[in-house]
Amino acid sequence: MCIRDSMKRAFVFAFAALLSIGAFAQEELPTFQLFDKNDNPVADGATLVLTEGEKLGEFQIPSGLYLKNNSDDTQGVGIDVKLVSIDNGSFFCCFPNNCQTISSPGVYEDYNSPATMDAGEERNLQTEWIPSNYGSCTAELQFKVFNLEKQDVFGTIIYSPSDFKEYGPKVTLHFVYADPTSVDGIRDNTNTTVVARYNANGMSVKSEVKGLNIIRLSNGKTIKQIKK
């Protein structure tokens, strides 16, 4: 009886484990998922520090991000932009479809008109800061999911975004265009304090780390320091 009971308990445990694995495997992905330029998933609520610029007519620092529709259906998508701060230049975004440039801090709901994304579709954000001088720019992007309205246009089914459904992922972009000669910039003003510090991967750190340190100052400036 003891052996039989032990075998029964083992079977029940194994069956429960299989159910658990099955439930985990069937866990639903978020409707939309952000990825960086290297195809790495970006966590919801993440803050990214962007310092790599490029010359495309004019100097700009791109986000390199793209959004993917993980669902099996066409989805309506939109975006709210909160321009937290901008030292100079302009913030530019062409997502989902239309393009718009802003240069004043503020909250811009439905920044561009909502659009549709097909199942599995990936779409570049085409979002960058175009600085006119050294400094920084911080923007919060809140993605939104919209219900779809179905229309029959001369026998062709067309879907268009209708009312708001739910919020999707959110990300904060902190663009930095640093003067490479200002490594010792903190010492130039004794009244200036450090308010935030990031490593080369954009992760917040409490103290200096070996290698690149990106430092935000209380006077609004951002500088780089190299610690050997």
Side-chain angles (χ1 to χ4, degrees), residues 121-150:
E121 180 182 349
E122 299 174 356
R123 188 171 300 182
N124 195 304
L125 296 193
Q126 299 184 60
T127 296
E128 52 261 341
W129 175 43
I130 306 173
S132 58
N133 206 337
Y134 298 122
S136 65
C137 170
T138 301
E140 296 177 0
L141 310 183
Q142 173 65 74
F143 296 89
K144 304 162 74 173
V145 184
F146 286 82
N147 291 313
L148 294 180
E149 181 180 5
K150 181 179 178 180

Side-chain angles (χ1 to χ4, degrees), residues 1-7 9:
M1 294 293 292
C2 292
I3 295 176
R4 185 179 301 170
D5 290 343
S6 298
M7 291 178 64
R9 285 197 295 269

Side-chain angles (χ1 to χ4, degrees), residues 68-141:
K68 179 180 180 181
N69 177 4
N70 281 329
S71 75
D72 296 327
D73 301 301
T74 299
Q75 299 288 342
V77 63
I79 186 173
D80 290 343
V81 173
K82 179 180 180 181
L83 189 59
V84 179
S85 63
I86 183 168
D87 290 343
N88 55 70
S90 57
F91 174 84
F92 182 79
C93 178
C94 280
F95 184 90
N97 279 329
N98 305 328
C99 298
Q100 187 177 172
T101 300
I102 53 176
S103 56
S104 300
V107 178
Y108 300 82
E109 295 186 359
D110 295 325
Y111 181 77
N112 291 319
S113 302
T116 58
M117 286 182 64
D118 295 333
E121 180 182 349
E122 299 174 356
R123 188 171 300 182
N124 195 304
L125 296 193
Q126 299 184 60
T127 296
E128 52 261 341
W129 175 43
I130 306 173
S132 58
N133 206 337
Y134 298 122
S136 65
C137 170
T138 301
E140 296 177 0
L141 310 183

Side-chain angles (χ1 to χ4, degrees), residues 183-184 186-187 194 196-200 203-215 223-228:
V183 172
D184 297 320
I186 294 179
R187 301 189 184 97
V194 176
R197 191 188 302 269
Y198 305 90
N199 63 17
M203 298 177 61
S204 178
V205 294
K206 294 183 179 180
S207 58
E208 286 186 335
V209 295
K210 187 175 181 180
L212 176 64
N213 289 261
I214 301 169
I215 302 167
I223 66 172
K224 293 181 181 179
Q225 280 189 335
I226 303 295
K227 183 174 178 61
K228 298 181 179 179

Side-chain angles (χ1 to χ4, degrees), residues 147-167:
N147 291 313
L148 294 180
E149 181 180 5
K150 181 179 178 180
Q151 295 179 322
D152 187 334
V153 180
F154 301 110
T156 300
I157 301 300
I158 297 177
Y159 294 94
S160 59
S162 56
D163 55 315
F164 169 78
K165 180 180 179 181
E166 61 187 10
Y167 285 109

